[in-house]
Amino acid sequence: MTLLLPPNATIGLVGGGQLGRMSAMAAARLGYRCHILTREHESPASQVAAAATISDYQEPEGLRRFASAVDVISFEFENVSAEGLDLLASLRPVRPSPKILRTSQDRVTEKAFLNRIGVPTAPWAAVQDLDGLLAAVAQIGLPAVLKTTRLGYDGKGQTTLRHRDDLAPGFAALSPKPLILEDFVDFAQEISVVAARGEDGGYAAFDTVENRHRNHILDVTLAPARLAEPVDRQAQAIARKIADALDLVGLLAVEMFVDRDGRVLVNEIAPRPHNSGHWTIDACPASQFEMHIRAIAGLPLPAAVRHSDAVMKNLVGPEETALWPAILAEPGLIPHLYGKAEARPGRKMGHVTRLFPRGSLPGEFGITAALGPVAPHGTVC
Ligand code: AMP
């Protein structure tokens, strides 16, 4: 049965970060209140929400208090324990379903699921111990990437193994956590698709975008990705296949590699708003955050129309945050700041977007010039 949330209903969001903040802002525009579950006082999301429960994500009493105050529960943060998810789902509708979160929380479960439904990934193997790593390397070869199966993000919990001498130190750095070894993909591009799906199977996918990372953290997103048509079709078809196979109600981001032969391989999926979808706030009538809220509230999903091309640049750490006055003074840059008190190195503090008329995304030089004070590092200005 479709749950149609009436205006003024309360949406519970697990997680207090910037994704929750921007979801709460979109929910407010649709006439909803948001109640945030977070460990932090003064979190980016709770600053713009109607209410917050401050609690650990695994603590039953906190989860119960939170659930009793809301009408439906969703996430901006995926790492709630299986027991915590079951408890929440026993009290209120949870969207996307706990089953989907369990699939995406663990890289082995996630990749096994993707391969089972016929979605290609880099070759991979689960690794329990050093002997297992040696066996996995014999099968997959080097270079390869060794990752923790859970709780990795922005390059945390992973190391690239290039030579046999790297195996023991790489394993020691990440064990005793369960690990996965993945073939190193010599990719031509990293791309992603963000898509929403409603309970009635209604589906809306934003255009495929190109993502560039620096120090394993997303630096720049180009919308749309500059891709050959068949590659773009593969990427969009993969996102649709995953959303349907998961019977998703909510939002899904699919991160993919395009290899040198134009084959698309999935790196990971996230059943929530995604950093590579921030451009949609400024370049689309309904952003990824609005799509998320609409999907979990049972509202109709509009087409994921892009009225402009866009370049989005993250503001990471103290150096890029220090450019804020220059960013504000730069005509045409659309600034977003997340309300975080301290700009620690590697911390995402905000982002800026610049729009271009459809079809006129500039080349490399133009992209760099367009970002003015926050031009990407390592490119010519
Ligand atoms: P992840 O935490 O899996 O999203 O990885 C973060 C980043 O590391 C990706 O966006 C890639 O730039 C890089 N990376 C991860 N896995 C691989 C791989 N198997 N081959 C090459 N690069 C990778």
Side-chain angles (χ1 to χ4, degrees), residues 200-241:
D200 59 0
Y203 181 82
F206 292 100
D207 289 314
T208 314
V209 297
E210 177 180 339
N211 300 315
R212 297 176 179 182
H213 294 80
R214 199 161 59 90
N215 303 327
H216 295 281
I217 301 172
L218 183 67
D219 184 27
V220 171
T221 294
L222 308 181
R226 291 163 302 175
L227 291 173
E229 165 74 29
V231 178
D232 192 18
R233 256 189 279 119
Q234 275 183 69
Q236 289 287 334
I238 284 172
R240 179 78 198 240
K241 188 171 195 176

Side-chain angles (χ1 to χ4, degrees), residues 58 77-85 98-111 126-127 146-158 174-182 268:
Q58 328 299 349
F77 165 89
E78 294 146 77
N79 293 309
V80 181
S81 66
E83 304 76 52
L85 285 171
K99 188 164 163 265
I100 297 179
L101 271 99
R102 277 189 215 112
T103 303
S104 69
Q105 274 172 354
D106 183 295
R107 292 185 196 272
V108 167
T109 316
E110 177 183 67
K111 289 215 159 59
V127 169
L146 187 63
K147 302 179 178 178
T148 55
T149 58
R150 302 175 82 89
L151 299 175
Y153 68 99
D154 288 348
K156 295 189 173 68
Q158 64 174 273
L174 299 176
S175 65
K177 297 188 178 127
L179 304 175
I180 181 171
L181 187 76
E182 297 173 12
E268 61 180 357

Side-chain angles (χ1 to χ4, degrees), residues 44-195:
S46 51
Q47 288 169 14
V48 302
T53 296
I54 314 290
S55 165
D56 193 84
Y57 300 115
Q58 328 299 349
E59 207 256 299
E61 169 49 28
L63 295 178
R64 264 196 211 99
R65 253 189 301 130
F66 166 68
S68 68
V70 306
D71 297 301
V72 62
I73 296 172
S74 193
F75 297 85
E76 66 110 50
F77 165 89
E78 294 146 77
N79 293 309
V80 181
S81 66
E83 304 76 52
L85 285 171
D86 288 341
L87 175 58
L88 290 176
S90 72
L91 298 168
R92 288 292 183 274
V94 171
R95 300 178 157 194
S97 72
K99 188 164 163 265
I100 297 179
L101 271 99
R102 277 189 215 112
T103 303
S104 69
Q105 274 172 354
D106 183 295
R107 292 185 196 272
V108 167
T109 316
E110 177 183 67
K111 289 215 159 59
F113 158 74
L114 292 170
N115 295 164
R116 197 165 58 242
I117 64 165
V119 167
T121 60
W124 59 274
V127 169
Q128 325 289 354
D129 49 30
L130 192 52
D131 282 345
L133 177 59
L134 293 173
V137 168
Q139 181 194 329
I140 289 169
L142 291 176
V145 187
L146 187 63
K147 302 179 178 178
T148 55
T149 58
R150 302 175 82 89
L151 299 175
Y153 68 99
D154 288 348
K156 295 189 173 68
Q158 64 174 273
T159 181
T160 303
L161 309 177
R162 296 185 184 281
H163 311 286
R164 294 198 71 81
D165 292 350
D166 298 338
L167 303 195
F171 180 79
L174 299 176
S175 65
K177 297 188 178 127
L179 304 175
I180 181 171
L181 187 76
E182 297 173 12
D183 188 24
F184 183 90
V185 182
D186 178 25
F187 54 79
Q189 272 168 304
E190 289 193 84
I191 60 171
S192 58
V193 173
V194 173

